[in-house]
Amino acid sequence: MNKRPRRLRYNAHIRGLVRETDLQVSDLIYPLFIIEGTNIKEEISSLKGVYRFSLDRLEEEIHEITALGIQYVLLFGIPEHKDNKGSEAYNDEGIVQKAIRKIKSITDSLYVITDVCMCEYTSHGHCGILDENGYVHNEKSLYYLGQVAVSHAKAGADMVAPSDMMDGRVGYMRKELDECGYTHVPIMSYSAKYASSYYGPFREAAGSTPAFGDRKTYQMDYANSNEALREVSLDIEEGADIVMVKPALAYLDIIRRVKDTFNVPIAAYNVSGEYAMLKLAVEAGLLDEQAVMETILSIKRAGADIIITYFAKDIAKKLKGMR
Ligand code: PBG
Ligand code: ZN
């Protein structure tokens, strides 16, 4: 029989003192979708409360974000033009490059991270460049991804986050960034990225559904756990400053294993499908609002230092006592 006293749980006040984990706004990164065009602020139907902004409507959003105390954003671009080499992705006048400069002209208190990938920019919707047979070509893709990272850094990005999952891309990007004078720009690598159903709403939001096939040749099998440790280990060797597990909720065990095995900061991406499920359940009144804090805190408790989440604004409001 366990005779341990439970006194520490009795009083609501003392719970704060003995609480093991807490969630802070400074743990959170908020994803932002930037679209070409003018006067656009359109809600993403699959991601309630999240919008696509054109550059001229970005300012109001940036002010709202900073007023809530959010300090980190992750940019995704939706270009007008796509082609088989994804050339808008590494165009210095591309949508993300312009958005970085715009944000930096509005505020210096936001840390701007960019997603580095080809899938929003290629006509075929894959994360890399294809060979003659229609397969993603790892080596060729590295060259283009390196160009993307450098062009983001050149536009003023504070950190780059490669999400493509090509082999060797972290080392390649590190070398390219260093050679171009961006030794100070860290890399947050999407290291353990699973081929997941939970990206569905995002692909609608960013228009990046593959035109054919799937991403299983370069994203991980959801049944594997040791493989995640191998991927993380390689990325660290190649120079990743932060490693990421994605998605977060169906992979809390992976976050914990990475945390217990390595000694680097860990990010977890609470992806679009995870957000959509919970948001809809709360809106329908099936769950109360605590479900959001409880769920996002579980990612921190599992071992993540950093959480990328579409709930960042909701959580910031909650922590500020605004709701
Ligand atoms: C691009 C990318 C994706 C996400 C982040 N970067 C989609 C994918 O790999 O299919 C998913 C984010 C989310 O679902 O919220 N490679
Ligand atoms: Zn991609």
Side-chain angles (χ1 to χ4, degrees):
M1 255 299 273
N2 183 359
K3 289 267 166 55
R4 222 178 278 271
R6 302 250 160 79
R7 282 186 296 274
L8 288 175
R9 287 184 211 163
Y10 294 160
N11 176 322
H13 206 156
I14 197 87
R15 290 171 73 129
L17 191 62
V18 297
R19 192 163 222 191
E20 296 171 31
T21 314
D22 67 355
L23 196 57
Q24 292 169 342
V25 185
S26 58
D27 301 325
L28 308 177
I29 299 175
Y30 186 57
L32 270 182
F33 295 94
I34 323 286
I35 189 163
E36 218 121 30
T38 51
N39 198 23
I40 302 171
K41 176 185 176 180
E42 57 191 11
E43 188 170 41
I44 298 163
S45 57
S46 57
L47 291 176
K48 287 205 158 176
V50 183
Y51 298 78
R52 298 185 197 90
F53 293 91
S54 55
L55 290 171
D56 58 333
R57 294 289 297 274
L58 199 50
E59 186 154 0
E60 49 185 303
E61 175 75 353
I62 297 300
H63 288 314
E64 190 185 328
I65 289 170
T66 51
L68 286 169
I70 294 170
Q71 300 168 47
Y72 310 96
V73 288
L74 175 61
L75 302 190
F76 293 96
I78 306 159
E80 216 148 38
H81 169 78
K82 300 183 189 226
D83 57 36
N84 63 353
K85 294 211 154 46
S87 47
E88 278 302 295
Y90 41 90
N91 177 353
D92 287 342
E93 295 304 317
I95 184 68
V96 166
Q97 291 79 354
K98 286 191 286 197
I100 298 165
R101 294 194 291 265
K102 176 91 188 179
I103 294 171
K104 291 294 175 186
S105 77
I106 297 168
T107 176
D108 51 17
S109 65
L110 258 192
Y111 189 88
V112 177
I113 309 163
T114 57
D115 185 86
V116 174
C117 203
M118 307 298 285
C119 55
E120 295 103 0
Y121 303 88
T122 48
S123 35
H124 45 75
H126 280 285
C127 299
I129 301 297
L130 304 185
D131 65 16
E132 314 73 57
N133 304 318
Y135 292 108
V136 173
H137 193 290
N138 197 86
E139 262 41 56
K140 263 192 215 161
S141 301
L142 291 186
Y143 169 78
Y144 290 99
L145 290 160
Q147 303 282 304
V148 179
V150 168
S151 83
H152 288 176
K154 198 164 151 194
D158 295 298
M159 178 156 78
V160 293
S163 70
D164 54 281
M165 287 298 274
M166 299 303 133
D167 290 335
R169 90 267 204 222
V170 173
Y172 187 85
M173 255 173 228
R174 185 69 272 159
K175 181 170 113 333
E176 289 291 303
L177 286 167
D178 290 351
E179 280 174 13
C180 295
Y182 302 107
T183 50
H184 57 285
V185 174
I187 296 176
M188 173 167 72
S189 176
Y190 288 70
S191 303
K193 180 173 176 182
Y194 287 89
S196 171
S197 280
Y198 287 100
Y199 310 147
F202 172 93
R203 291 181 186 171
E204 191 217 304
S208 66
T209 306
F212 60 89
D214 55 39
R215 300 202 166 122
K216 291 189 175 139
T217 56
Y218 45 96
Q219 298 183 352
M220 289 173 48
D221 183 344
Y222 59 74
N224 292 356
S225 166
N226 293 330
E227 187 186 0
L229 298 188
R230 291 198 295 274
E231 292 281 358
V232 166
S233 160
L234 286 170
D235 280 3
I236 294 171
E237 271 172 43
E238 289 179 31
D241 299 277
I242 299 171
V243 296
M244 192 197 300
V245 175
K246 173 184 169 195
L249 294 175
Y251 301 88
L252 294 174
D253 58 321
I254 308 295
I255 297 172
R256 172 48 60 186
R257 280 194 80 189
V258 172
K259 176 76 174 174
D260 287 343
T261 311
F262 302 98
N263 198 7
V264 297
I266 302 165
Y269 201 141
N270 174 225
V271 299
S272 55
E274 300 176 330
Y275 171 82
M277 279 195 315
L278 195 49
K279 189 80 177 174
L280 290 176
V282 170
E283 280 195 356
L286 293 172
L287 298 174
D288 70 24
E289 287 234 325
Q290 181 191 297
V292 174
M293 291 301 265
E294 186 179 334
T295 303
I296 303 304
L297 189 122
S298 77
I299 303 171
K300 184 115 187 254
R301 202 181 58 231
D305 303 290
I306 300 164
I307 301 167
I308 305 165
T309 180
Y310 305 96
F311 281 117
K313 282 182 179 179
D314 292 341
I315 293 169
K317 286 176 191 161
K318 180 94 188 162
L319 293 174
K320 271 180 177 283
M322 286 162 66
R323 57 160 65 170

